[in-house]
Amino acid sequence: TQLLEQSPQFLSIQEGENLTVYCNSSSVFSSLQWYRQEPGEGPVLLVTVVTGGEVKKLKRLTFQFGDARKDSSLHITAAQTGDTGLYLCAGLRNTGNQFYFGTGTSLTVIP
Amino acid sequence: EPEVTQTPSHQVTQMGQEVILRCVPISNHLYFYWYRQILGQKVEFLVSFYNNEISEKSEIFDDQFSVERPDGSNFTLKIRSTKLEDSAMYFCASSEVRDQPQHFGDGTRLSIL
């Protein structure tokens, strides 16, 4: 059973375009993280959201946590080739220490 | 900025052999984790460790796996009798407290022959 589903699984866009990645679940999370992973490296933390409805901005990246804390989205404005990578959401439930990772979205930005 | 370090970066081992993967978490962090990522697949939780004991483990973390914090800085994952399907990237992570973000090392690529 996959607790966190990400969509789309693959995304290829032109430089300068906007995109949104979704992370959905039927479970409630106390916090949710977004990571970016380059090939051969570990996931690098981008942001943590903890409050339902919270919106955080990181330069051209906008992260939102759903009101019910079951889903999240990552929006990238004016994508650049440096944004290419695997984007992972990971959630921590109210009990336990296990972070559940999403299925990942592989983003390719074409120059 | 402090970081999680893992050694070795690549480990090649014969099937059936024991392997130990090493991690040095960030020094003031109290929670430690191991994850596995089989090539092309998602990151999977193996185990979390706090206060010198396992606090949670997944179904993947069976009797062939064990973790240890042998001293104040290292956190190790031992696989007793490796199988071909253990080939994967193994990531160590640490966090300051339970609900704080986890910081990941760059992983150890384990190849079982």
Side-chain angles (χ1 to χ4, degrees):
Chain A
T1 304
Q2 181 60 44
L3 206 61
L4 279 167
E5 294 282 352
Q6 285 184 240
S7 61
Q9 189 176 357
F10 299 97
L11 187 57
S12 181
I13 62 170
Q14 293 288 332
E15 198 170 25
E17 291 184 348
N18 302 331
L19 67 114
T20 302
V21 176
Y22 299 94
C23 175
N24 295 307
S25 177
S26 57
S27 298
V28 176
F29 293 92
S30 62
S31 68
L32 197 138
Q33 284 76 42
W34 282 92
Y35 293 85
R36 192 173 89 184
Q37 185 179 23
E38 303 279 355
E41 297 180 10
V44 175
L45 179 69
L46 296 174
V47 78
T48 299
V49 286
V50 296
T51 306
E54 182 176 4
V55 176
K56 279 192 174 178
K57 289 186 184 252
L58 186 67
K59 297 182 181 177
R60 294 175 294 101
L61 278 60
T62 302
F63 304 85
Q64 184 163 10
F65 202 12
D67 291 341
R69 291 186 289 138
K70 292 182 179 181
D71 51 78
S72 181
S73 63
L74 157 61
H75 182 79
I76 301 178
T77 303
Q80 299 176 356
T81 55
D83 296 327
T84 293
L86 179 67
Y87 289 82
L88 298 162
C89 64
L92 180 68
R93 295 169 81 175
N94 290 331
T95 58
N97 293 324
Q98 181 175 166
F99 272 77
Y100 295 87
F101 274 83
T103 47
T105 295
S106 179
L107 171 66
T108 302
V109 181
I110 304 164
Chain B
E1 186 176 322
E3 57 183 26
V4 176
T5 56
Q6 290 186 243
T7 55
S9 57
H10 192 186
Q11 174 80 45
V12 182
T13 301
Q14 290 287 333
M15 186 173 61
Q17 296 295 307
E18 175 183 284
V19 66
I20 297 176
L21 310 182
R22 292 184 165 77
C23 169
V24 179
I26 295 173
S27 61
N28 64 331
H29 286 189
L30 301 177
Y31 287 78
F32 315 116
Y33 311 84
W34 282 101
Y35 291 84
R36 179 180 81 175
Q37 187 176 31
I38 295 171
L39 185 64
Q41 298 186 24
K42 69 183 181 78
V43 177
E44 300 173 292
F45 170 81
L46 292 177
V47 67
S48 60
F49 191 87
Y50 169 72
N51 200 27
N52 281 321
E53 61 182 22
I54 292 173
S55 52
E56 192 165 351
K57 60 183 181 179
S58 71
E59 293 173 352
I60 304 169
F61 195 88
D62 61 23
D63 291 344
Q64 69 163 340
F65 291 94
S66 62
V67 289
E68 193 178 28
R69 187 155 165 80
D71 53 46
S73 60
N74 290 285
F75 179 51
T76 62
L77 173 69
K78 181 192 288 186
I79 309 175
R80 259 180 276 281
S81 178
T82 50
K83 303 189 283 273
L84 292 175
E85 53 265 37
D86 293 328
S87 295
M89 284 288 287
Y90 287 81
F91 293 106
C92 173
S94 68
S95 63
E96 196 169 343
V97 296
R98 176 190 164 270
D99 56 356
Q100 288 296 306
Q102 298 181 12
H103 296 264
F104 284 76
D106 280 339
T108 292
R109 179 175 298 283
L110 177 63
S111 300
I112 306 300
L113 304 178

